[in-house]
Amino acid sequence: MYKTPLLEKSALKEKTILITGGGTGLGRSMAKGLLEAGAKVIITSRKTEVINKTASELADITGGLILAVTGDVRRYTDIEAVMAAGIDEFGSIYALINNAAGNFISPTERLTHKAFDIIVDIVLKGSYNCTLALGKYWIREQINGIMLNIVTTYASTGSGFVVPSACAKAGVLAMTRSLAVEWAKYGIRSNAIAPGPFPTKGAWTRLFPAGLAEKLDPKKRIPLNRYGHHQELVNLAAYLISDYSAFINGEVITIDGGEWLKGAGEFNWLDVVPKEMWDQIEKSMRKKSQGKPSK
Ligand code: HXC
Ligand code: NAP
């Protein structure tokens, strides 16, 4: 069931959606799913060849309208150019998905200041550049725009070994909540999705490299004992972009199979205790608690 599309084919008809980092991974999957729901899609990223190939493949698979425009989200003028090309092609832009990101695992003290900058610039600066450009346009043109930001579960909790990403995603989450209130008067909604692990080449090569992944199987951290399926995230994104979610504003929806809560709950680690051991544990606890209190 979760591997099939949620929305009917015409749910997003006449809506144009800009997806940053839409050439690969989750961005590509969202582009495909939104085209299948009738939307027109603009994808942008740094690698022209990659986005052109994705656009041509998705146009063939879905029969939908998709435009690829090269751009670096760190450069405001690039985003203005992407927007102009999109409006020229499709007439208007109705939604923005801030999905482009950079990340890799590293002990923080090993990072150069440039390495820290590059992640924060792609994720935070990239997201506010696009948000500012689209927001000004929506307000000027009186369009009830939709903003959807792809963050992570550690945008709320923080996480070692991906500190630049954690700082930047936390900033994006703060922007989501702030603008949900400030721009609601213009009819603009802002929400975020916090995914747990969804297999993509981009994330896996940089966060779960071979060797490490085998030693510390990331799946074991997930109570549902599986990774997310791309269609599950696509369905959530499509819902949040559609009018079905018209009263949801300023929310971050976690989609991680219970992963972050497993790490947070004080005694969740007790699931390593084998069933037969619980008799012994209970017996010893009862014996002690029924004895005389020690002075
Ligand atoms: C330490 C590193 C490094 C590493 C790069 N750097 N990789 N430092 N450990 N593994 C340093 C470089 O030495 C350099 O600093 C600086 O970072 C910039 O690196 P470049 O390779 O010159 O930059 P660039 O080619 O622009 O590549 C950017 C990138 C790259 C972010 C480093 O990984 C990239 O293009 N990523 C885009 C896609 C991506 O990251 N996807 C994953 C998203 S997954 P110096 O000082 O030497 O110049 C995600 C999921 C999170 O966010 C949650 C999962 C559950
Ligand atoms: P991905 O395939 O590597 O996607 C990242 C995209 O960002 C790439 O297409 C990349 O394209 C683009 N990008 C990077 N720098 C850019 C820049 N300066 N300007 C424009 N585009 C840029 O990784 P993914 O796993 O699909 O990640 C997608 C989103 O989901 C990210 O926000 C990530 O943080 C989030 N997320 C993923 C997971 C997961 O498990 N996969 C979990 C939590 C959150 P170019 O290199 O061509 O620029």
Side-chain angles (χ1 to χ4, degrees):
M1 187 70 182
Y2 62 79
K3 294 180 186 169
T4 55
L6 174 77
L7 296 184
E8 66 271 28
K9 285 203 164 104
S10 57
L12 296 173
K13 208 168 169 219
E14 303 307 321
K15 314 267 194 204
T16 299
I17 299 161
L18 168 59
I19 308 174
T20 66
T24 63
L26 295 176
R28 185 188 197 277
S29 294
M30 286 189 279
K32 177 171 175 279
L34 296 171
L35 286 166
E36 284 168 348
K40 296 171 214 162
V41 172
I42 306 155
I43 55 173
T44 185
S45 87
R46 296 166 300 178
K47 299 186 187 108
T48 307
E49 232 176 84
V50 173
I51 51 172
N52 282 347
K53 186 164 179 277
T54 294
S56 131
E57 285 170 1
L58 295 188
D60 284 350
I61 297 169
T62 66
L65 297 175
I66 177 167
L67 175 72
V69 190
T70 311
D72 186 327
V73 290
R74 293 169 292 181
R75 281 202 291 265
Y76 194 79
T77 46
D78 279 18
I79 298 314
E80 288 181 314
V82 170
M83 265 178 59
I87 294 166
D88 193 40
E89 180 79 11
F90 297 132
S92 64
I93 301 176
Y94 156 84
L96 162 68
I97 305 184
N98 278 314
N99 167 79
N103 202 358
F104 51 78
I105 47 170
S106 175
T108 308
E109 66 276 16
R110 288 172 61 100
L111 297 174
T112 63
H113 67 90
K114 277 192 195 159
F116 212 117
D117 279 349
I118 200 155
I119 303 299
V120 174
D121 282 354
I122 298 171
V123 175
L124 181 55
K125 188 176 189 176
S127 299
Y128 71 65
N129 274 347
C130 296
T131 299
L132 197 59
L134 265 293
K136 283 173 186 283
Y137 158 72
W138 287 330
I139 293 165
R140 194 174 59 239
E141 299 294 323
Q142 299 184 346
I143 293 171
N144 297 337
I146 309 277
M147 183 167 56
L148 179 61
N149 297 324
I150 309 300
V151 294
T152 59
T153 50
Y154 60 68
S156 304
T157 62
S159 174
F161 302 95
V162 283
V163 170
S165 170
C167 296
K169 294 284 191 185
V172 175
L173 183 52
M175 180 177 72
T176 310
R177 289 173 168 150
S178 305
L179 290 178
V181 176
E182 189 184 336
W183 283 356
K185 60 179 174 283
Y186 301 117
I188 297 170
R189 288 194 294 129
S190 308
N191 289 299
I193 295 178
F198 282 72
T200 66
K201 192 176 168 206
W204 252 239
T205 51
R206 295 173 175 93
L207 301 166
F208 308 119
L212 195 64
E214 285 136 30
K215 264 199 185 137
L216 308 167
D217 182 2
K219 210 185 278 172
K220 287 204 183 120
R221 296 167 36 81
I222 304 172
L224 288 177
N225 198 33
R226 67 172 175 86
Y227 297 126
H229 190 283
H230 282 213
Q231 188 67 45
E232 294 177 282
L233 186 123
V234 170
N235 285 344
L236 181 55
Y239 167 70
L240 288 172
I241 287 218
S242 75
D243 290 338
Y244 290 113
S245 62
F247 204 48
I248 299 182
N249 188 28
E251 196 49 72
V252 53
I253 300 185
T254 298
I255 176 163
D256 75 343
E259 185 192 32
W260 88 263
L261 275 173
K262 179 169 177 171
E266 178 79 31
F267 291 103
N268 286 342
W269 56 274
L270 287 179
D271 63 8
V272 300
V273 174
K275 250 189 198 156
E276 52 285 6
M277 218 173 136
W278 279 109
D279 286 343
Q280 233 178 307
I281 293 172
E282 184 178 342
K283 212 166 142 195
S284 83
M285 264 192 304
R286 283 180 183 275
K287 218 192 273 170
K288 279 196 186 129
S289 64
Q290 282 156 12
K292 284 187 183 169
S294 59
K295 286 187 182 166

